[in-house]
Amino acid sequence: MNSRRDFLKAGLIAGATYSVVNGLKVNAQDASAGKTATGAPMLGFACQPLETVRVGVVGIGSRGGAMISRVSKLPGVKVTAICDIEDAKIANAKASLARQQQPEPKVYKGPEAYKALCDSGDVDVVYNTTPWHLHVPVALAAMNGGKHVLTEVTSAMTVEDCWKMVETCEKRKVHCMQLENCIYGEIEMLTFNLVRKGLLGEVMHAEGAYNHDGRHMANDLFPAYQYWRYDWYRDHAGNPYPTHGLVPLCLTMDINRGDRMDYIVSIDSKNVAFADFMEHGLNPNNPRKGQTLKVGDVNTSLIKTVSGKTIMLQHTVSTPRPYSRIQTVQGTRGIICDYPYRIALEGEGKYYYGSGAHDWWDEKRANEIRETYKHPLWKTIGALAAKMGGHGGMDYIQDARWSYCLRMGLPLDTSVYDLATTGCLCELTEKSAGNRSQAMDVPDFMRGAWKTAPKMDVIDIDLVNFEV
Ligand SMILES: NC(=O)c1ccc[n+]([C@@H]2O[C@H](COP(=O)([O-])OP(=O)(O)OC[C@H]3O[C@@H](n4cnc5c(N)ncnc54)[C@H](O)[C@@H]3O)[C@@H](O)[C@H]2O)c1
């Protein structure tokens, strides 16, 4: 079977389509009926292959606008519907599709118009790039309308909302995937590959972050309702954006795949850099001038997993500093870090016990490792992704992967359980930080199924099928 068309034909003739899911054979029809024998029925969930993936985009601001131009270049994907509350955003999206000679999409306009889009027959997938407070209502409407949903980070920010996402997904038997593009970052995928191949030995600790000076965004002169990030910072402490730093580490460390996060402790620094900026850094006519924000300048959390691993997670959007997701992974044979990329392996990866790794490897040796152990997905479409762009290509790889999986009838790379276990940390970090760093239990959204869940596969795209 050489092409996706052959694959589709074979599946239809045989009357059943099988997907190999992390080493397990899943019958797509059984899987879409949710018939699995674990406490996490959406684990390994796959659907019948879609000939063309019809996408409806809700929220076409900076992220949704970029997504439309990226996704409409993917084979087998059509943006058939768009939804926003502003005419200008709708006009931009239409112009972008017209430039790419794509058919005109159906337009939904208004604060609740997403409901009609989710109920319509126009789309298979709802791509949710709305502000944080709309992620859950839009995702629930999509699932209840029988649509798959791909939803931006942070996809659900309270324990209750995370359970709602899990329960609705399980009831409606559709995909619900968090759009965590950083799992497709080149260094994140390299790290995953090195750990799978045993070069770092057994992993016991990792560090991740969203450390990004975002103060300038407070100076954009939006209408008041578009200041949603600052409304959140005004009303909440803790870490509102845990997933960029954390989800790639979870995949590398088998979280929800043999291990799970047990509890988290969190601490907020005082807010002085943000306060100074809100007082002195804003334009004179900015309505937020002088506003008090609850968010700390630096939030730091520690997570302990059931098997005994630890993760340090950080968040700052208000201090003058270079961007970093940290991405340190530490094992019994060595360590890898990003920002900048560095690596040190004991005994050059051979088992010289106790010889140590006292210095970072020099650039030449570090780059040899980077090339030799590049993740297969980056080897396959890394060059194309770098050309297509989006955070150095990882956005393109993300969109290429979910569309490929839907067209091939494969499970998506992360599930609603990954969404819930990481999203709920927004509430848990806020509660812990507000209560002298009291330890907070992370709910078991998989109800025990994590114990036997297979590890993440080394994923790839078969270009023969991708280009059909
Ligand atoms: N993964 C990443 O790397 C990444 C990067 C940037 C942003 N994001 C996430 O993407 C999401 C959007 O961020 P953004 O920077 O594009 O924000 P934005 O404010 O530029 O865009 C939000 C859009 O939603 C629209 N909108 C508001 N209310 C609506 C409603 N009721 N119905 C339909 N549309 C509505 C707004 O008009 C706007 O066009 C956020 O969740 C953010 O965290 C992710």
Side-chain angles (χ1 to χ4, degrees), residues 221-285:
L221 278 181
F222 301 127
Y225 61 86
Q226 298 286 27
Y227 279 96
W228 50 271
R229 279 192 180 87
Y230 292 87
D231 290 345
W232 188 276
Y233 301 149
R234 179 194 62 209
D235 299 338
H236 295 276
N239 181 345
Y241 216 55
T243 64
H244 281 346
L246 181 61
V247 182
L249 300 177
C250 288
L251 298 182
T252 294
M253 296 170 88
D254 304 327
I255 304 298
N256 296 343
R257 295 153 179 80
D259 199 359
R260 78 175 190 87
M261 292 184 273
D262 189 3
Y263 64 88
I264 184 164
V265 297
S266 191
I267 193 162
D268 278 330
S269 80
K270 64 179 172 180
N271 178 328
V272 278
F274 228 159
D276 181 56
F277 186 80
M278 298 307 274
E279 186 60 38
H280 304 292
L282 294 183
N283 297 326
N285 52 347

Side-chain angles (χ1 to χ4, degrees), residues 56-59 83 111 114-115 117-118 126-131 133-145 147-151 165:
V57 190
V58 184
C83 175
Y114 67 84
K115 292 181 180 167
L117 183 151
C118 292
V126 173
Y127 200 106
N128 183 6
T129 39
T130 54
H133 59 279
L134 287 168
H135 286 176
V136 172
V138 172
L140 295 181
M143 289 191 273
N144 283 325
K147 310 299 182 298
H148 304 300
V149 62
L150 307 168
T151 183
M165 296 284 262

Side-chain angles (χ1 to χ4, degrees), residues 415-434:
S415 72
V416 72
Y417 306 111
D418 299 305
L419 178 160
T421 47
T422 52
C424 73
L425 301 183
C426 300
E427 177 180 341
L428 299 183
T429 52
E430 183 172 6
K431 284 198 165 143
S432 174

Side-chain angles (χ1 to χ4, degrees), residues 42-237:
M42 299 312 286
L43 198 63
F45 172 77
C47 283
Q48 294 289 356
L50 292 171
E51 182 81 49
T52 301
V53 185
R54 298 168 310 148
V55 180
V57 190
V58 184
I60 34 184
S62 67
R63 191 79 184 137
M67 169 271 168
I68 284 183
S69 116
R70 221 174 35 240
V71 161
S72 50
K73 294 186 184 88
L74 286 167
V77 181
K78 292 260 170 281
V79 175
T80 50
I82 56 175
C83 175
D84 205 288
I85 49 176
E86 289 188 3
D87 288 327
K89 305 277 175 60
I90 289 168
N92 282 344
K94 281 171 78 174
S96 162
L97 288 167
R99 273 196 302 279
Q100 292 177 62
Q101 277 107 44
Q102 296 289 323
E104 190 154 313
K106 184 136 184 224
V107 172
Y108 293 83
K109 195 194 148 202
E112 304 221 336
Y114 67 84
K115 292 181 180 167
L117 183 151
C118 292
D119 283 339
S120 77
D122 303 331
V123 304
D124 306 300
V125 174
V126 173
Y127 200 106
N128 183 6
T129 39
T130 54
W132 295 340
H133 59 279
L134 287 168
H135 286 176
V136 172
V138 172
L140 295 181
M143 289 191 273
N144 283 325
K147 310 299 182 298
H148 304 300
V149 62
L150 307 168
T151 183
E152 261 301 347
V153 292
T154 304
S155 307
M157 302 171 86
T158 65
V159 173
E160 191 187 340
D161 275 349
C162 287
W163 276 118
K164 271 190 206 158
M165 296 284 262
V166 167
E167 283 163 0
T168 307
C169 185
E170 290 175 345
K171 189 164 159 203
R172 297 296 175 190
K173 309 289 184 305
V174 288
H175 288 290
C176 176
M177 189 186 83
Q178 166 166 265
L179 287 161
E180 187 34 83
N181 48 341
C182 298
I183 68 175
Y184 303 97
E186 189 227 327
I187 298 299
E188 283 88 343
M189 295 203 94
L190 168 72
T191 305
F192 176 90
N193 209 23
L194 289 174
V195 169
R196 276 292 174 278
K197 292 193 179 308
L199 269 86
L200 295 182
E202 185 177 345
V203 172
M204 79 297 282
H205 178 75
E207 299 177 13
Y210 182 69
N211 289 339
H212 184 194
D213 185 353
R215 290 171 299 172
H216 61 281
M217 282 190 270
N219 253 332
D220 292 341
L221 278 181
F222 301 127
Y225 61 86
Q226 298 286 27
Y227 279 96
W228 50 271
R229 279 192 180 87
Y230 292 87
D231 290 345
W232 188 276
Y233 301 149
R234 179 194 62 209
D235 299 338
H236 295 276

